[in-house]
């Protein structure tokens, strides 16, 4: 799979827990930011999609914790779109630490949902086409 | 000041940071829960207030961190209403650990705001009267 | 699989996001609390295990988000141990809302790790035996 | 007061609550990151200070919430050191949104504490001198 976007974050103090690791729930927050940065990079910031009455809630995640992330480390996230239909897209994420070690890997599925009734829906064609194009160019 | 309600919570693992303390930001979350439990205790759960188009966002906080809270401790919160007008209320919170030691103290002001335009407003009379009664009975 | 423990939590305001749902990352926090409550219920609070120099970090999660959880709802979590070796245990979680609807399902693997060197290790026999007994009685 | 460092962050989706605002507790996380970035900017990353057995826990905060921060906005934080002794320092923070509007203001006190016994202590001279110099040059 070819990576669509590389983003970066630094582990903040509030991300840590008393094991001295970034708490395992925080990866989901950073992966969420990474996927909306991917959308921003192709001219579709997620707040505009929500502005059109569509939301993309998470429906499935699977995460593999390989090594801990520590306070103040700079972590890179590679994001790719793994599959795409009008109603659902699957993202793949790979997190790497400053030493180039893979620390975490995830697959996250989001659905296209109409905000007003919380029902699954086809995403607007304009969004779908732009994502399809991105996938083909990955 | 007489305490209107005593609530309890247990410090969760995700509340801790690598100092081994509950992270200082988490007190605000538990104080928020404590004040809405106070509202629930007088028959006005906060989700009903929001349902009427009124929100009570925080406008001012001041917190004194006296001792740390540690993972798995049971913390008690005493909540009182310190002052009340139609547009603003000030809460006082006192957090105590399992040994009866005061660990944290806070004063938090919330405003009455109309959700639709995000403007300050007088809270509904029914809510104000119920809170006034509570204050007088504290 | 027979459920080892049922626990409960109420969705707090800080758990929500602007979709109006509990943010998907927060399930991991409540599942963590649920599994340590299971440990407490058999006389082994997790802070004692850490006190013996053993930590149980998460290595794999898979979560299925079926329905949203909303602010102020009371959510029940059924927790079970699905498999157990000296170095690894797999938990199963099922979250149900106030209407008895299944809203979320997860499988979470934790490893037994020696804190001092962050290496996988066999958990103390006393802990293993107590968990084995619990599994057999589920 | 002259500003010692300007930092920036973008409001993430997980920072929001169902009011559609950044949850009020999250300012504390970003102010914490801002003050450790100030330390990094003068060659003293906070993880090195902790590595010497000294921690700087928060003892007092006062925050004024002026306007909400919204999802995806870029927020600037101006950080200054307001006062400094060997055992305590007071930071001042001012948060500004993309339109140049002041949205939040805070004063946060941290103490110098020896990690091993959790007792107040004089911070190492090298750190104190470097901060003093920074204050004088603000």
């Amino acid at each position: 799979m070819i990576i669509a976007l590389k983003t970066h974050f630094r582990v903040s103090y509030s991300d840590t827990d008393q094991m001295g690791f970034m708490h395992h729930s925080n990866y989901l927050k950073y992966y969420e930011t990474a996927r909306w940065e991917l959308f921003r990079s192709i001219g579709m910031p997620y707040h505009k999609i929500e502005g059109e009455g569509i939301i993309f809630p998470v429906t499935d995640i699977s995460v593999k914790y390989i090594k801990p992330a520590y306070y103040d480390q700079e972590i890179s996230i590679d994001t790719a779109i793994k599959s795409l239909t009008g109603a659902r897209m699957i993202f793949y994420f790979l997190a790497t630490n400053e030493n180039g070690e893979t620390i975490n890997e995830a697959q996250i599925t989001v659905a296209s949902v109409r905000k007003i009734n919380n029902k699954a829906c086809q995403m607007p064609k304009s969004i779908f086409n732009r994502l399809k194009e991105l996938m083909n160019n990955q």
Side-chain angles (χ1 to χ4, degrees), chain A:
Chain A
M1 200 167 353
I2 304 181
I3 290 312
L5 189 72
K6 191 184 274 286
T7 55
H8 306 273
F9 74 92
R10 192 187 281 278
V11 178
S12 75
Y13 206 84
S14 59
D15 288 334
T16 63
D17 62 25
Q18 73 176 24
M19 275 184 206
F21 302 165
M22 181 163 90
H23 190 264
H24 63 281
S25 64
N26 290 320
Y27 288 89
L28 300 188
K29 300 182 178 181
Y30 288 114
Y31 289 147
E32 181 175 55
T33 296
R35 66 182 171 270
W36 302 150
E37 286 304 319
L38 176 59
F39 275 56
R40 186 195 316 285
S41 77
I42 55 171
M44 302 189 311
Y46 178 64
H47 72 257
K48 288 212 177 149
I49 295 172
E50 283 208 356
E52 294 177 29
I54 306 291
I55 55 177
F56 285 164
V58 168
T59 62
D60 287 274
I61 63 176
S62 104
V63 187
K64 202 171 162 50
Y65 297 82
I66 300 161
K67 282 174 173 286
Y70 296 98
Y71 170 58
D72 220 31
Q73 282 189 321
E74 267 197 88
I75 307 297
S76 302
I77 301 176
D78 289 324
T79 303
I81 302 180
K82 202 175 156 184
S83 85
L84 174 70
T85 68
R88 188 167 295 263
M89 67 202 99
I90 303 179
F91 294 91
Y92 171 79
F93 302 95
L94 186 78
T96 309
N97 69 15
E98 297 164 341
N99 306 322
E101 298 167 311
T102 296
I103 61 167
N104 198 279
E105 205 180 3
Q107 187 172 300
I108 297 182
T109 307
V110 309
S112 175
V113 168
R114 205 170 302 284
K115 193 181 167 65
I116 206 163
N117 59 6
N118 201 19
K119 299 268 187 233
C121 70
Q122 295 289 312
M123 67 181 75
K125 261 297 177 213
S126 60
I127 297 175
F128 177 80
N129 290 340
R130 196 65 201 82
L131 290 170
K132 198 76 197 169
E133 193 183 335
L134 175 70
M135 266 190 83
N136 295 339
N137 293 341
Q138 271 177 8

